[in-house]
mmCIF file of all heavy atoms in Angstrom:
data_model
loop_
_atom_site.group_PDB
_atom_site.id
_atom_site.type_symbol
_atom_site.label_atom_id
_atom_site.label_comp_id
_atom_site.label_asym_id
_atom_site.label_seq_id
_atom_site.Cartn_x
_atom_site.Cartn_y
_atom_site.Cartn_z
ATOM 1 N N GLY A 14 98.441 -5.809 26.927
ATOM 2 C CA GLY A 14 98.457 -5.290 25.561
ATOM 3 C C GLY A 14 97.997 -6.279 24.518
ATOM 4 O O GLY A 14 97.286 -7.307 24.900
ATOM 5 N N GLY A 15 98.415 -6.219 23.281
ATOM 6 C CA GLY A 15 97.974 -7.119 22.240
ATOM 7 C C GLY A 15 98.558 -8.488 22.551
ATOM 8 O O GLY A 15 99.742 -8.598 22.895
ATOM 9 N N ASP A 16 97.767 -9.570 22.391
ATOM 10 C CA ASP A 16 98.339 -10.907 22.689
ATOM 11 C C ASP A 16 99.315 -11.265 21.618
ATOM 12 O O ASP A 16 99.336 -10.685 20.513
ATOM 13 C CB ASP A 16 97.162 -11.966 22.813
ATOM 14 C CG ASP A 16 96.400 -12.125 21.548
ATOM 15 O OD1 ASP A 16 96.503 -11.321 20.629
ATOM 16 O OD2 ASP A 16 95.587 -13.045 21.467
ATOM 17 N N ARG A 76 94.028 -3.697 27.642
ATOM 18 C CA ARG A 76 94.793 -2.433 27.739
ATOM 19 C C ARG A 76 93.971 -1.575 28.738
ATOM 20 O O ARG A 76 92.786 -1.220 28.501
ATOM 21 C CB ARG A 76 94.750 -1.728 26.347
ATOM 22 C CG ARG A 76 95.348 -2.592 25.201
ATOM 23 C CD ARG A 76 95.490 -1.829 23.927
ATOM 24 N NE ARG A 76 95.547 -2.605 22.773
ATOM 25 C CZ ARG A 76 96.689 -3.101 22.196
ATOM 26 N NH1 ARG A 76 97.863 -2.884 22.738
ATOM 27 N NH2 ARG A 76 96.667 -3.795 21.055
ATOM 28 N N GLY A 106 104.180 -5.520 25.241
ATOM 29 C CA GLY A 106 104.882 -4.681 24.311
ATOM 30 C C GLY A 106 105.312 -3.332 24.954
ATOM 31 O O GLY A 106 105.280 -3.235 26.151
ATOM 32 N N ASP A 107 105.593 -2.405 24.070
ATOM 33 C CA ASP A 107 106.170 -1.129 24.621
ATOM 34 C C ASP A 107 105.209 -0.417 25.575
ATOM 35 O O ASP A 107 105.591 0.202 26.561
ATOM 36 C CB ASP A 107 106.720 -0.254 23.500
ATOM 37 C CG ASP A 107 105.681 -0.045 22.412
ATOM 38 O OD1 ASP A 107 104.546 -0.592 22.506
ATOM 39 O OD2 ASP A 107 106.012 0.727 21.473
ATOM 40 N N GLY A 128 106.668 -9.337 24.590
ATOM 41 C CA GLY A 128 105.690 -10.113 23.911
ATOM 42 C C GLY A 128 104.863 -9.220 23.011
ATOM 43 O O GLY A 128 103.933 -8.514 23.441
ATOM 44 N N THR A 129 105.243 -9.229 21.689
ATOM 45 C CA THR A 129 104.455 -8.501 20.696
ATOM 46 C C THR A 129 104.839 -9.019 19.330
ATOM 47 O O THR A 129 106.001 -9.282 19.059
ATOM 48 C CB THR A 129 104.646 -7.020 20.786
ATOM 49 O OG1 THR A 129 104.160 -6.395 19.553
ATOM 50 C CG2 THR A 129 106.163 -6.572 20.853
ATOM 51 N N ILE A 130 103.862 -9.145 18.463
ATOM 52 C CA ILE A 130 104.168 -9.607 17.081
ATOM 53 C C ILE A 130 104.916 -8.599 16.295
ATOM 54 O O ILE A 130 105.447 -8.850 15.284
ATOM 55 C CB ILE A 130 102.875 -10.049 16.329
ATOM 56 C CG1 ILE A 130 101.947 -8.846 16.115
ATOM 57 C CG2 ILE A 130 102.186 -11.199 17.063
ATOM 58 C CD1 ILE A 130 100.853 -9.167 15.052
ATOM 59 N N ASP A 131 104.894 -7.355 16.793
ATOM 60 C CA ASP A 131 105.436 -6.239 16.024
ATOM 61 C C ASP A 131 107.024 -6.136 15.864
ATOM 62 O O ASP A 131 107.519 -5.395 14.993
ATOM 63 C CB ASP A 131 104.971 -4.886 16.560
ATOM 64 C CG ASP A 131 103.493 -4.634 16.214
ATOM 65 O OD1 ASP A 131 102.900 -5.485 15.453
ATOM 66 O OD2 ASP A 131 102.902 -3.648 16.696
ATOM 67 N N ASP A 133 109.026 -4.406 17.608
ATOM 68 C CA ASP A 133 109.275 -2.942 17.603
ATOM 69 C C ASP A 133 109.925 -2.423 18.833
ATOM 70 O O ASP A 133 109.759 -1.276 19.163
ATOM 71 C CB ASP A 133 107.915 -2.250 17.306
ATOM 72 C CG ASP A 133 106.906 -2.535 18.390
ATOM 73 O OD1 ASP A 133 107.096 -3.428 19.271
ATOM 74 O OD2 ASP A 133 105.883 -1.784 18.442
ATOM 75 N N VAL A 172 99.601 -5.968 6.200
ATOM 76 C CA VAL A 172 99.986 -6.748 7.362
ATOM 77 C C VAL A 172 100.030 -5.881 8.608
ATOM 78 O O VAL A 172 100.090 -4.697 8.484
ATOM 79 C CB VAL A 172 101.341 -7.506 7.172
ATOM 80 C CG1 VAL A 172 101.288 -8.450 6.014
ATOM 81 C CG2 VAL A 172 102.452 -6.516 6.975
ATOM 82 N N MET A 173 100.076 -6.500 9.782
ATOM 83 C CA MET A 173 100.022 -5.685 11.035
ATOM 84 C C MET A 173 101.319 -5.016 11.258
ATOM 85 O O MET A 173 102.399 -5.382 10.708
ATOM 86 C CB MET A 173 99.661 -6.563 12.148
ATOM 87 C CG MET A 173 98.179 -6.577 12.435
ATOM 88 S SD MET A 173 97.790 -7.341 13.996
ATOM 89 C CE MET A 173 96.077 -6.939 14.201
ATOM 90 N N GLY A 174 101.263 -4.054 12.155
ATOM 91 C CA GLY A 174 102.462 -3.295 12.525
ATOM 92 C C GLY A 174 102.059 -1.813 12.509
ATOM 93 O O GLY A 174 102.119 -1.101 11.530
ATOM 94 N N ARG A 175 101.627 -1.354 13.712
ATOM 95 C CA ARG A 175 101.100 -0.006 13.937
ATOM 96 C C ARG A 175 102.125 1.042 13.514
ATOM 97 O O ARG A 175 101.885 1.917 12.729
ATOM 98 C CB ARG A 175 100.667 0.195 15.347
ATOM 99 C CG ARG A 175 99.715 1.306 15.556
ATOM 100 C CD ARG A 175 99.281 1.442 17.011
ATOM 101 N NE ARG A 175 99.825 0.380 17.838
ATOM 102 C CZ ARG A 175 99.074 -0.249 18.748
ATOM 103 N NH1 ARG A 175 97.783 0.013 18.888
ATOM 104 N NH2 ARG A 175 99.578 -1.096 19.518
ATOM 105 N N SER A 176 103.347 0.905 14.092
ATOM 106 C CA SER A 176 104.326 1.885 13.726
ATOM 107 C C SER A 176 105.617 1.194 13.350
ATOM 108 O O SER A 176 106.676 1.782 13.253
ATOM 109 C CB SER A 176 104.555 2.860 14.881
ATOM 110 O OG SER A 176 104.768 2.108 16.002
ATOM 111 N N SER A 177 105.536 -0.105 13.106
ATOM 112 C CA SER A 177 106.705 -0.918 12.737
ATOM 113 C C SER A 177 106.514 -1.714 11.531
ATOM 114 O O SER A 177 105.489 -2.313 11.346
ATOM 115 C CB SER A 177 107.046 -1.793 13.918
ATOM 116 O OG SER A 177 107.974 -2.776 13.527
ATOM 117 N N ILE A 180 107.011 -6.839 10.203
ATOM 118 C CA ILE A 180 106.253 -7.956 9.608
ATOM 119 C C ILE A 180 106.246 -7.769 8.096
ATOM 120 O O ILE A 180 106.446 -8.710 7.308
ATOM 121 C CB ILE A 180 104.852 -8.093 10.185
ATOM 122 C CG1 ILE A 180 104.916 -8.307 11.667
ATOM 123 C CG2 ILE A 180 104.009 -9.132 9.472
ATOM 124 C CD1 ILE A 180 103.578 -8.350 12.408
ATOM 125 N N GLU A 227 100.398 -1.836 8.236
ATOM 126 C CA GLU A 227 99.245 -1.212 8.879
ATOM 127 C C GLU A 227 99.525 0.195 9.192
ATOM 128 O O GLU A 227 98.585 1.040 9.112
ATOM 129 C CB GLU A 227 98.949 -2.040 10.088
ATOM 130 C CG GLU A 227 97.791 -1.480 10.960
ATOM 131 C CD GLU A 227 97.723 -2.116 12.331
ATOM 132 O OE1 GLU A 227 98.657 -2.893 12.684
ATOM 133 O OE2 GLU A 227 96.851 -1.807 13.093
ATOM 134 N N GLY A 228 100.734 0.499 9.620
ATOM 135 C CA GLY A 228 101.106 1.879 9.977
ATOM 136 C C GLY A 228 100.890 2.875 8.831
ATOM 137 O O GLY A 228 100.683 4.067 9.090
ATOM 138 N N GLY A 253 94.833 -8.491 9.026
ATOM 139 C CA GLY A 253 94.223 -8.206 10.409
ATOM 140 C C GLY A 253 94.590 -9.196 11.497
ATOM 141 O O GLY A 253 95.719 -9.770 11.502
ATOM 142 N N HIS A 254 93.623 -9.469 12.410
ATOM 143 C CA HIS A 254 93.961 -10.171 13.686
ATOM 144 C C HIS A 254 94.296 -11.626 13.506
ATOM 145 O O HIS A 254 94.789 -12.282 14.454
ATOM 146 C CB HIS A 254 92.790 -10.025 14.640
ATOM 147 C CG HIS A 254 92.787 -8.576 15.222
ATOM 148 N ND1 HIS A 254 92.267 -7.541 14.555
ATOM 149 C CD2 HIS A 254 93.311 -8.125 16.389
ATOM 150 C CE1 HIS A 254 92.423 -6.451 15.356
ATOM 151 N NE2 HIS A 254 93.059 -6.752 16.458
ATOM 152 N N GLN A 256 96.725 -12.656 12.193
ATOM 153 C CA GLN A 256 98.171 -12.732 12.387
ATOM 154 C C GLN A 256 98.528 -12.891 13.850
ATOM 155 O O GLN A 256 99.687 -13.148 14.195
ATOM 156 C CB GLN A 256 98.855 -11.394 11.875
ATOM 157 C CG GLN A 256 98.685 -11.235 10.368
ATOM 158 C CD GLN A 256 98.888 -9.842 9.950
ATOM 159 O OE1 GLN A 256 99.984 -9.410 9.573
ATOM 160 N NE2 GLN A 256 97.848 -9.034 10.000
ATOM 161 N N ARG A 257 97.603 -12.546 14.785
ATOM 162 C CA ARG A 257 97.969 -12.662 16.209
ATOM 163 C C ARG A 257 97.632 -14.003 16.784
ATOM 164 O O ARG A 257 98.007 -14.326 17.949
ATOM 165 C CB ARG A 257 97.188 -11.548 16.986
ATOM 166 C CG ARG A 257 97.699 -10.156 16.721
ATOM 167 C CD ARG A 257 98.019 -9.445 17.995
ATOM 168 N NE ARG A 257 96.859 -9.310 18.880
ATOM 169 C CZ ARG A 257 96.191 -8.147 18.981
ATOM 170 N NH1 ARG A 257 96.622 -7.088 18.284
ATOM 171 N NH2 ARG A 257 95.150 -8.068 19.760
HETATM 172 O O1 F6P B 401 100.893 -4.482 18.900
HETATM 173 C C1 F6P B 401 100.391 -5.566 18.184
HETATM 174 C C2 F6P B 401 99.282 -5.173 17.237
HETATM 175 O O2 F6P B 401 98.745 -6.305 16.671
HETATM 176 C C3 F6P B 401 99.629 -4.110 16.218
HETATM 177 O O3 F6P B 401 100.349 -4.670 15.112
HETATM 178 C C4 F6P B 401 98.269 -3.554 15.885
HETATM 179 O O4 F6P B 401 98.439 -2.257 15.380
HETATM 180 C C5 F6P B 401 97.607 -3.547 17.242
HETATM 181 O O5 F6P B 401 98.214 -4.585 18.035
HETATM 182 C C6 F6P B 401 96.105 -3.800 17.141
HETATM 183 O O6 F6P B 401 95.552 -3.745 18.373
HETATM 184 P P1 F6P B 401 94.075 -4.160 18.753
HETATM 185 O O7 F6P B 401 94.028 -5.660 18.871
HETATM 186 O O8 F6P B 401 93.760 -3.530 20.027
HETATM 187 O O9 F6P B 401 93.219 -3.682 17.696
#
Side-chain angles (χ1 to χ4, degrees):
D16 62 348
R76 304 188 202 270
D107 51 358
T129 166
I130 64 165
D131 285 354
D133 60 347
V172 297
M173 269 189 168
R175 198 179 356 225
S176 52
S177 166
I180 297 177
E227 177 195 4
H254 285 81
Q256 294 160 95
R257 287 234 298 259

